[in-house]
Structure formats: structure tokens, C-alpha cells
Amino acid sequence: MDKNRKKNLKIYLVFLISFLIFSIYGFIKFNGNAKEKINNSKSIKCNLDNKTDNETENKPIEEVGSEYKNKSIDIVKRFLKSYHLIESTKPINEFEKAKDIVAEQLYLELEQEVIGNASVPNKGLIYRTIESMKVYDYSFDNESKEIHVKADVYSNWLNENKKISAKNELTKYDFLITNFSGDWKISQITTEIY
């Protein structure tokens, strides 16, 4: 090897060794601080709003989870009005209103379903009403910090003249609502039609 190459190799090795030493030191220092912060932590804070509430900060996580009940029920009702209710021949326009309350991957799947359902022969079933909606069985999972909600929706299917073609169809929904960086969104849905 020529002298220039040896010199460059030595400089490279010095930089590499220095980088490794500083990386190991930084990792050890950061890891120790993270453990210290975790050990010194006294409570878990969960805020939907930017408001800080002293009462919420001092509550155990079980009580904090119950405060999300109304918010999650509102999310489910809003979703059902944009997904289940079909008031036009282009239901995708209504479904797009739910984009901010549905996790991205689920939204893309449901969007394809809505588009697909609108393009297939419908046997005279064009519009769908919501005759009654019952949201129930709210639960907050302390381990996963997720919310489970169920809903029953009774519907009528209408033809192109908006006359009833099928009456009292029951659809049972089961929702999983997850917190994504402070925003509660529907992340999973299962449905059964009776």
C-alpha cells in the first residue's frame, strides 16, 4: 500500500473507533436516564384536549379511561352516519367525512369496500336508512389502553324511488378504538348482519 492510502486508512479507523466509543457512552448515558425517569414517574397522564386538568392527573388510569366514553360513543355514531347510512348514489362522498376518525389502513380498506359496493348490481337496494342506533358495551382496556364499543343499527333498504325494499335489517358492529398520537380513531371493525 502506498503512504497516502495507509494514512487515509488510519484516519478512518480513528474516526470509526471514536464514533463507537461515543455511541456506547451515549447509549449507556441515555439508557440510565430513561430508567431513572421511568422509576421516578408517579402517574400516567391521558389528555384528549390540550387542557390540563389537575383532577385527571391524580386519577388512576381506570377512571381516566371512563372519561373517554362519550368521545368514543360520538366517534362511533359519526362513523355509522357516514358509513352505514346511504343517502345518495355516491356513498363515497359521505364516507370521506369519516377519514379523521378511522385509522389510515382501515380507512383505505373500507374506502375500497364502499366504492366496490356502489359499483355492483344492487337488486333494487340503493339507499339505506338508520331507523334506530344503539351504542353500548363500552369498555376501556387498561393493558392496551384501547376502547371497545358495540353498536346495533336497524335499517331499511330503499329502491331508486326511495320506497322500502327490505325492512328492519339488523347490523351488529364491534369497534376497537385506539389512540394515535392523541387522536382516538377506529382501528378495527367487525360486523354481523341479521
Side-chain angles (χ1 to χ4, degrees), residues 69-79 101 135:
K69 183 175 184 176
N70 291 337
K71 177 125 178 110
S72 59
I73 289 172
D74 289 343
I75 287 171
V76 166
K77 286 181 178 179
R78 187 172 153 210
F79 172 81
I101 58 169
V135 181

Side-chain angles (χ1 to χ4, degrees), residues 26-167:
F27 178 74
I28 291 170
K29 184 77 173 160
F30 174 75
N31 197 17
N33 286 344
K35 285 181 181 175
E36 185 177 309
K37 287 179 184 177
I38 290 171
N39 291 337
N40 291 336
S41 178
K42 293 182 181 175
S43 65
I44 298 173
K45 297 177 186 176
C46 295
N47 290 330
L48 279 180
D49 304 324
N50 290 334
K51 298 184 243 173
T52 45
D53 184 5
N54 289 337
E55 292 175 14
T56 302
E57 291 176 7
N58 297 327
K59 289 182 181 179
I61 194 70
E62 297 82 22
E63 291 180 39
V64 173
S66 68
E67 292 179 8
Y68 299 136
K69 183 175 184 176
N70 291 337
K71 177 125 178 110
S72 59
I73 289 172
D74 289 343
I75 287 171
V76 166
K77 286 181 178 179
R78 187 172 153 210
F79 172 81
L80 291 171
K81 288 177 183 172
S82 64
Y83 174 77
H84 188 87
L85 182 65
I86 302 173
E87 295 183 306
S88 75
T89 55
K90 297 195 184 236
I92 192 65
N93 296 338
E94 287 299 313
F95 181 66
E96 287 174 353
K97 294 176 183 176
K99 191 170 193 170
D100 63 325
I101 58 169
V102 178
E104 185 176 354
Q105 183 63 35
L106 179 61
Y107 179 83
L108 294 173
E109 290 173 22
L110 293 175
E111 181 182 45
Q112 292 305 314
E113 179 185 318
V114 169
I115 292 169
N117 288 345
S119 65
V120 297
N122 48 36
K123 299 178 185 174
L125 307 175
I126 297 175
Y127 307 103
R128 182 166 55 188
T129 65
I130 294 179
E131 296 302 312
S132 69
M133 179 188 324
K134 177 184 172 190
V135 181
Y136 63 97
D137 204 21
Y138 167 88
S139 65
F140 183 79
D141 188 332
N142 289 326
E143 285 185 31
S144 65
K145 307 297 183 262
E146 295 176 320
I147 297 170
H148 296 269
V149 179
K150 292 185 179 182
D152 290 349
V153 182
Y154 285 92
S155 306
N156 293 332
W157 280 98
L158 310 177
N159 61 21
E160 64 274 355
N161 299 322
K162 298 206 175 180
K163 303 280 187 208
I164 296 174
S165 295
K167 196 170 186 175

